[in-house]
Structure formats: C-alpha cells, structure tokens
Amino acid sequence: MHVKVCPVRYKNVNCVLSDSKSFLHMESVYHQDKQYVKINFQSQDNRGAVYDGCIFDGCVFYQVDLSDCNFINCTFTHCDLCLADVSRTGFQDVRFSHCKLMGISFASCSTFGLSFSFEHCLLQHSVFAKLKLKMQQFNSCKLQEVDFTGTDLTGALFAECDLERAVFWQSNLEKADLQNSFNYQIDPEHNRIKRAKFSIWGLQGLLYKYEIVVMK
C-alpha cells in the first residue's frame, strides 16, 4: 500500500494518508471563511470538522455531536447549541451572541488555545468546571445553575448576568468584575476573591451562609 505524507490546511499539522480517498475526506471537513444561515446541522456528520473564520447565523446544533471539531475565529449568532457534545472540541477566538447554549459541558472541550466570549446568551446548566478562563467575558447572560467548580476566572467580567444557583467552589475570582451581576452566592472562605469587584447590592451574596440581613 502506497503511503504518502501530505500537508493539509490544518495549522501546524501534517497527516499521513493511505490513499486519495482519505485526502479528499480530510479536505472535505475543512471549512474556511464560509457563512451559514439558518442551516440545520442535526442531519450532518460534523465530528472532526474544522471551521476557520466562519459565521453561523440562526443555525441549529441542538444535541449535535461536535466532538473533535475545531472552531477558529468563528462567530455564532442566534444559534441553538443546547446539549451539543463538545468533547475535545477546540474553540479559539470564538464569539457567541444571542445563542442558546444550555446543558453544554465545556469542561470536556479542548483547552488548547481556548478563547471564547458570550453576550446575551442562555447558558443555564452548562459546565465550565476546572477550565482556565482568565479575562473571560460574559455579557448579559443567563448563568443559572452553571458549574464553575475549580474554574480560574481571574479578571473575568460578568456584566449584568443572572447567576442564580451558579456553583462557585474552589474557584479563582481574583480581580473579577461582578459589580453589575446579581443572584450569585459566593463563599469567600472557599473561593479566591482578592481584588474582585462587587456592588454593595451584592454583599448578601457573599454573606448568605451567615444568615445576615443586609438592609438597603
């Protein structure tokens, strides 16, 4: 069997291919600078695909298997990604705006170059446990019951986010900004909050376990 080494447009990757069919398959999963509008990805085999510089507008990824995919410099707007499988999935410079991302375990995604932002997104019941999310941005997001256990959120911004029943345990919130967020409960004894910013209206969320009544 003839084996050849050929470059594919993956960054910093060479592949060993056994035949021309394998090469065509590898090429078919690479998508660059494309725009997808109101596409339903539920009927497609998306595993292992690479999307570079792509835009997704109004697309459906509900319960879709996105394992081993890579999204590089992509934008998702008004998309439904609820319960999507993102095991070993790469997110590099990815922006989510007005998207549904409920029940996603981001803790299982690839940590290589991990970088994403969320604005006006629904993220209820999602998991970010033990990820390094320094300077992470959540803007006007629903974060109820999201799991931040052991997450490094140094310098993160939570702007006007609802954090009701969100789990912060052994989390690093140093220099994080939660001034405009609400409904959070954060135990200073079990989280690092040095130089974190809170509003006076959020003090009750730091003192909840002492059953202190904070008068406004």
Side-chain angles (χ1 to χ4, degrees):
M1 178 175 62
H2 178 64
V3 178
K4 62 180 179 179
V5 178
C6 66
V8 184
R9 286 181 291 177
Y10 291 90
K11 297 182 179 179
N12 302 319
V13 176
N14 286 330
C15 64
V16 178
L17 304 176
S18 59
D19 52 41
S20 59
K21 289 185 178 179
S22 296
F23 177 76
L24 291 174
H25 173 70
M26 294 297 287
E27 283 289 291
S28 68
V29 299
Y30 185 94
H31 311 278
Q32 186 174 33
D33 299 330
K34 293 183 179 181
Q35 185 170 1
Y36 302 90
V37 180
K38 296 183 179 180
I39 302 298
N40 190 333
F41 286 83
Q42 291 177 303
S43 60
Q44 302 181 28
D45 184 0
N46 306 281
R47 293 170 298 176
V50 177
Y51 295 93
D52 190 348
C54 295
I55 296 173
F56 303 90
D57 186 3
C59 295
V60 177
F61 294 89
Y62 179 75
Q63 290 187 326
V64 168
D65 186 353
L66 297 175
S67 58
D68 298 300
C69 289
N70 277 286
F71 296 94
I72 305 166
N73 194 29
C74 292
T75 299
F76 292 82
T77 306
H78 299 286
C79 294
D80 184 354
L81 297 98
C82 293
L83 300 174
D85 183 355
V86 295
S87 300
R88 302 172 302 280
T89 301
F91 295 101
Q92 300 177 35
D93 297 318
V94 175
R95 175 174 171 263
F96 295 97
S97 177
H98 296 85
C99 291
K100 297 179 181 179
L101 301 128
M102 294 176 283
I104 297 180
S105 179
F106 290 100
S108 65
C109 71
S110 171
T111 58
F112 179 76
L114 181 62
S115 174
F116 42 36
S117 63
F118 304 90
E119 57 182 39
H120 297 282
C121 289
L122 304 179
L123 285 149
Q124 294 97 318
H125 304 283
S126 288
V127 180
F128 294 92
K130 298 183 180 180
L131 291 177
K132 292 184 178 181
L133 300 178
K134 293 183 178 181
M135 308 304 293
Q136 177 64 46
Q137 292 192 13
F138 295 98
N139 292 292
S140 300
C141 293
K142 298 288 187 180
L143 294 164
Q144 293 103 324
E145 299 187 64
V146 169
D147 187 356
F148 290 110
T149 300
T151 308
D152 186 351
L153 292 160
T154 304
L157 172 65
F158 293 87
E160 299 182 356
C161 294
D162 187 350
L163 290 156
E164 185 176 5
R165 297 187 299 279
V167 178
F168 293 96
W169 184 262
Q170 302 298 324
S171 307
N172 188 347
L173 288 159
E174 293 184 354
K175 300 181 181 179
D177 189 344
L178 295 91
Q179 293 181 85
N180 298 317
S181 288
F182 47 94
N183 290 335
Y184 53 80
Q185 291 188 342
I186 301 172
D187 188 343
E189 295 181 11
H190 295 284
N191 296 280
R192 297 166 62 180
I193 62 171
K194 185 177 181 179
R195 297 184 181 177
K197 297 178 181 179
F198 302 94
S199 71
I200 191 171
W201 312 109
L203 287 179
Q204 190 168 353
L206 300 175
L207 303 171
Y208 68 97
K209 74 175 187 178
Y210 301 109
E211 299 185 4
I212 295 173
V213 178
V214 179
M215 304 301 294
K216 299 179 181 179

